[in-house]
């Protein structure tokens, strides 16, 4: 099924995403909420992915970002005991709508309420990151592994994303003060899937998110964890994607997570 879902993402990209990249007009872009964009490509991509996943597993349920925007009760299906697919048809829609990268397409498979596999596809690069619970992660078939149990890295060597504008004032003040201890605090790429991918691949050390919607983070946190990294709530608790609390700190190792949590969150 790993290969079949990867091919499904490629097919959806070819049919519904890439033909619209840098070709969208105002009538092709809507706003679901303040600053929350959706395009004709998001909707069509989700339709194609949903139909394909149900062909692969007819007894499964699909929870897609755009379907949830029309029927919020679908979110309750994430607790189902059977197989549930979580779909983000385009992660980084604001980038996509503006004709820039990065943006990715993401799917996660839940079984018994737990993520067991995930796929993150970069359609422009035609590159696919895959993770399987307990079996590691890979990009285009090449295994990832950043290691998770080494000595704490010097804070001055760490670089990562913290989109400060999304943080409430009290958290922003604390993070900004602690950020002086960190090598580089970047504004973020406006694409959660890309941030997770870069952490898993070892090209970025961390990311701090405020919004923690499941389609944005379940595929990527599994990729990070299967690459030796850590994803937890800001207080150190586990990331439960059915919990709508805000705040998530993701790091490339346990030691880095501990150092960053002390520095950025006090």
């Amino acid at each position: 099924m790993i290969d079949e879902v990867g091919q499904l993402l490629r097919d959806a990209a070819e049919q519904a995403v890439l033909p619209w990249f840098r070709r969208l007009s105002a009538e092709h872009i809507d706003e679901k909420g303040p600053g929350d964009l959706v395009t004709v490509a998001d909707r069509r991509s989700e339709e194609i992915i949903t139909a394909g996943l149900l062909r692969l597993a007819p007894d499964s349920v699909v929870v897609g970002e755009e379907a949830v925007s029309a029927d919020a009760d679908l979110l309750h299906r994430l607790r189902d005991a059977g197989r549930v697919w979580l779909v983000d048809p385009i992660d980084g829609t604001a980038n996509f709508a503006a004709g820039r990268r990065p943006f990715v397409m993401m799917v996660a498979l839940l079984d018994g309420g737990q993520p067991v596999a995930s796929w993150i596809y970069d359609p422009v690069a035609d590159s696919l990151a895959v993770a399987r619970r307990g079996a590691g992660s890979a990009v285009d078939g090449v295994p990832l592994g950043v290691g998770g149990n080494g000595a704490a890295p010097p804070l001055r060597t760490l670089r990562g994303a913290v989109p400060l504008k999304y943080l409430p004032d009290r958290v922003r003040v604390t993070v900004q003060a602690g950020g002086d201890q960190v090598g580089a605090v970047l504004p973020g790429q406006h694409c959660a899937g890309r941030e997770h991918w870069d952490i898993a691949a070892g090209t970025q050390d961390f990311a701090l998110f405020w919004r923690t919607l499941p389609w944005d983070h379940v595929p990527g946190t599994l990729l990070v964890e299967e690459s030796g990294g850590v994803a937890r709530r800001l207080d150190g608790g586990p990331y439960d994607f059915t919990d709508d609390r805000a705040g998530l700190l993701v790091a490339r190792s346990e030691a880095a997570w501990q150092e960053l949590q002390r520095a950025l969150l006090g």
Side-chain angles (χ1 to χ4, degrees), residues 46-261:
E46 184 165 305
E47 290 172 0
I48 293 169
I49 295 168
T50 297
L53 293 174
L54 292 175
R55 283 194 300 271
L56 284 172
D59 61 340
S60 63
V61 173
V62 179
V63 178
E65 177 181 3
E66 307 315 328
V68 170
S69 72
D71 180 7
D73 286 341
L74 272 175
L75 277 174
H76 299 310
R77 302 303 302 270
L78 295 179
R79 297 182 183 274
D80 282 8
R83 289 188 293 179
V84 179
W85 301 96
L86 189 57
V87 175
D88 191 339
I90 301 178
D91 178 52
T93 295
N95 290 343
F96 178 79
R100 63 175 181 261
R101 299 172 67 190
F103 60 91
V104 295
M105 303 162 68
M106 302 197 290
V107 172
L109 175 60
L110 315 178
D111 196 351
Q114 296 299 316
V116 296
S118 69
W119 297 256
I120 304 177
Y121 180 59
D122 180 338
V124 176
D126 186 23
S127 187
L128 179 67
V130 175
R132 287 182 293 169
R133 176 70 66 189
S137 58
V139 172
D140 300 327
V142 179
L144 295 175
V146 300
N149 297 308
L155 278 169
R156 288 293 180 190
T157 68
L158 301 181
R159 60 188 300 277
V162 183
L164 291 169
K165 71 176 184 177
Y166 297 112
L167 301 180
D169 290 344
R170 59 180 177 78
V171 179
R172 185 185 305 114
V173 169
T174 302
V175 169
Q176 284 180 309
D180 291 340
Q181 305 173 53
V182 178
V185 176
L186 310 172
Q189 302 177 72
H190 306 287
C191 178
R194 187 72 242 182
E195 305 284 6
H196 290 300
W197 184 326
D198 288 350
I199 293 167
T203 58
Q204 182 170 303
D205 297 301
F206 69 93
L208 191 156
F209 304 96
W210 190 246
R211 296 180 68 198
T212 60
L213 295 167
W215 44 80
D216 286 338
H217 297 290
V218 171
T221 53
L222 182 60
L223 184 74
V224 168
E225 289 166 355
E226 288 300 312
S227 304
V230 178
R232 296 198 190 105
R233 294 291 186 179
L234 304 187
D235 62 3
Y239 171 49
D240 176 356
F241 56 86
T242 63
D243 179 351
D244 60 5
R245 286 185 302 154
L248 181 67
L249 178 61
V250 183
R252 67 189 303 263
S253 70
E254 174 68 34
W257 195 95
Q258 296 292 342
E259 288 291 294
L260 289 160
Q261 200 245 13

